[in-house]
Structures are given as C-alpha cells and as structure tokens.
Amino acid sequence: MELVELNPLSGALVGLPGVNGLSTEQRKRLTIAVELVANPSIVFMDEPTSGLDARSAAIVMRTVRNIVNTGRTIVCTIHQPSIDIFESFDELLFMKRGGQLIYAGPLGPKSRNLVEFFQAVPGVPKIRDGYNPAAWMLDVTSTQMEQILGVDFAEYYRQSKLFLQTKEIVEALSKPNSEVKELTFSTKYAQPFCAQFIACLWKQNLSYWRNPQYTAVRFFYTVIISLMFGTICWKFGSRRYVI
C-alpha cells in the first residue's frame, strides 16, 4: 500500500468504474498493487498510462518508479508518452513496423544515448531543444524518412556497436553460473490450507456485505425462484402413469 501510495485509501471501496469508488488512476495503481502481492521479480505492464490525463499518468509512473527502486524489473509498453514519462525509463526496446528491432539499449540522461544513436545516421535532422524525444524518434524512423534517406534502420542497428554489445550481454546472461542450484520449493502453496480458507472466507464476507443491495437482491430472487419451482413441481415424484 505504501509502495503504490494508496495508504490514504486503505479503507475505501473500489466501487464501479465511472460511477463511484476509486478513480481510473487509483484503479491502475490498485491493479499494480495486487500483482505485487506475489512479490514478482519482473512485472509486465501493457500501456499503464492509457486513458489518463497528464497528472494521473505522472502519478502512475511515479508508482512504477518506486517499484523499480526496490530492485524489481518493470517491462511495459507505452503510448505517446510525455517527456517526463519517457525519460523515467532506463532502457528502450524500439521496433519499427513489421516487428524489426531498430534500437535496444539504455536511454541515458535526457535520452542522450537514444538521440546520439539516431543523429549519427547521415541525413537525420537534429532534435530541437525541448522537443519530446519519443515523438522525435518516431518522426525520424518513419517509413517515409527511410525512403528519403535510403536507410534501413533495422539493418543500421544490426551493424552498430550497440547491437554487438547487447548481443554479448544476452549471451553472458543466458549462461547459468556453475555454482547456481536448481530452484526448488518444499510446497506448492505459500500458506497452508487453513490459512487459505480463512483468507478466502474473510474476502468473500467483505465482498458480499460491503454491497448489501446486491446481496439482498440475490437472496430475494433465490427465495422467489425456489418457491416458484417448488410450487410448480409439487408432488411430481408421487405421480405414476401407465401408458
């Protein structure tokens, strides 16, 4: 709760989207918090800032940064990020249309590494002061720009030093240490059956009694339908007919 900055909302109801309860931005942080309960080493996120305004997106990304600072790895796709959000990332995996890789490496301070990599391509226009590096890299690597410059950015990346360095890192990390032992667990579950049962019972109790209207409607329909079917099928089993 503290990591995703939800302590002030610890007793709040999630509610219905767009009706009551938590806002869209708070729901996204809650979703992240639920995934963190399992204490994963890697977290995958698909456009965590989509549908948010600039302030809400900044809050979500600040939460993501807090998680990264704990030693976890965050891998996420991002759509039309602002300068601040884009520069909050450490590394970038950039592909052009068709899924071909044209950049994979660190961004550097103020996206310096990314900018220097593409500005080294002959004919690529320099980035203007204050211009969003994310928007700039999309402009200079478009299909139209490739045709104008006569450059295949995917091939240019494969011939670069950055590609060789990345390949060496991948090969080094793909080989396990000889002293590493196989990961094993004494049991399949982190908690015994009784602890799981009590936790699920407590959760369902809160889920039902926090919404008494829903529970009352279910109870009413259950009773009415039971009486209706019981009346219709009364003594059906005692009737015997010979044809």
Side-chain angles (χ1 to χ4, degrees):
M1 296 289 287
E2 183 178 354
L3 192 62
V4 297
E5 302 178 7
L6 284 177
N7 276 336
L9 300 172
S10 59
L13 296 177
V14 177
L16 300 175
V19 179
N20 56 12
L22 303 181
S23 64
T24 304
E25 165 260 321
Q26 291 168 344
R27 291 171 188 273
K28 286 182 179 289
R29 284 191 285 154
L30 176 61
T31 303
I32 296 173
V34 171
E35 297 302 322
L36 290 178
V37 171
N39 194 25
S41 58
I42 302 178
V43 181
F44 294 89
M45 299 182 185
D46 184 19
E47 297 189 5
T49 60
S50 60
L52 302 178
D53 55 28
R55 176 184 174 276
S56 300
I59 294 174
V60 172
M61 290 309 301
R62 186 176 68 213
T63 300
V64 173
R65 191 71 236 182
N66 292 340
I67 299 171
V68 173
N69 293 338
T70 62
R72 296 178 177 87
T73 300
I74 303 293
V75 180
C76 66
T77 58
I78 199 74
H79 181 65
Q80 292 182 337
S82 63
I83 297 178
D84 295 334
I85 291 178
F86 184 71
E87 292 181 348
S88 66
F89 288 90
D90 298 314
E91 297 189 8
L92 173 69
L93 187 72
F94 184 30
M95 294 182 290
K96 70 174 186 178
R97 182 173 296 180
Q100 291 180 295
L101 193 63
I102 59 177
Y103 185 85
L107 284 176
K110 296 184 178 181
S111 305
R112 182 176 59 191
N113 293 8
L114 172 70
V115 172
E116 291 177 352
F117 177 82
F118 285 112
Q119 283 185 347
V121 180
V124 170
K126 306 297 182 181
I127 187 172
R128 301 191 304 270
D129 292 338
Y131 196 68
N132 190 344
W136 175 80
M137 73 177 186
L138 292 175
D139 293 337
V140 300
T141 59
S142 63
T143 304
Q144 183 180 2
M145 185 62 72
E146 281 188 328
Q147 294 174 354
I148 294 174
L149 300 176
V151 176
D152 183 357
F153 284 102
E155 183 62 28
Y156 177 81
Y157 171 72
R158 286 193 291 268
Q159 300 297 328
S160 65
K161 294 181 179 179
L162 179 62
F163 175 77
L164 297 177
Q165 293 173 359
T166 305
K167 187 176 180 180
E168 291 176 358
I169 294 174
V170 171
E171 291 178 353
L173 295 178
S174 62
K175 298 177 182 178
N177 192 338
S178 58
E179 299 179 357
V180 175
K181 297 180 180 179
E182 185 177 355
L183 187 63
T184 56
F185 298 94
S186 57
T187 178
K188 183 178 180 180
Y189 303 101
Q191 295 292 335
F193 174 79
C194 293
Q196 296 180 56
F197 177 78
I198 293 174
C200 290
L201 186 64
W202 172 76
K203 175 183 177 298
Q204 288 301 113
N205 177 64
L206 290 179
S207 177
Y208 282 118
W209 291 109
R210 276 180 171 179
N211 194 349
Q213 295 179 348
Y214 173 72
T215 304
V217 170
R218 287 191 60 189
F219 181 77
F220 175 78
Y221 274 107
T222 301
V223 173
I224 294 299
I225 292 176
S226 299
L227 292 175
M228 183 178 66
F229 277 101
T231 303
I232 294 174
C233 301
W234 182 255
K235 294 186 178 180
F236 268 22
S238 61
R239 299 178 183 179
R240 298 290 186 272
Y241 298 98
V242 178
I243 300 177

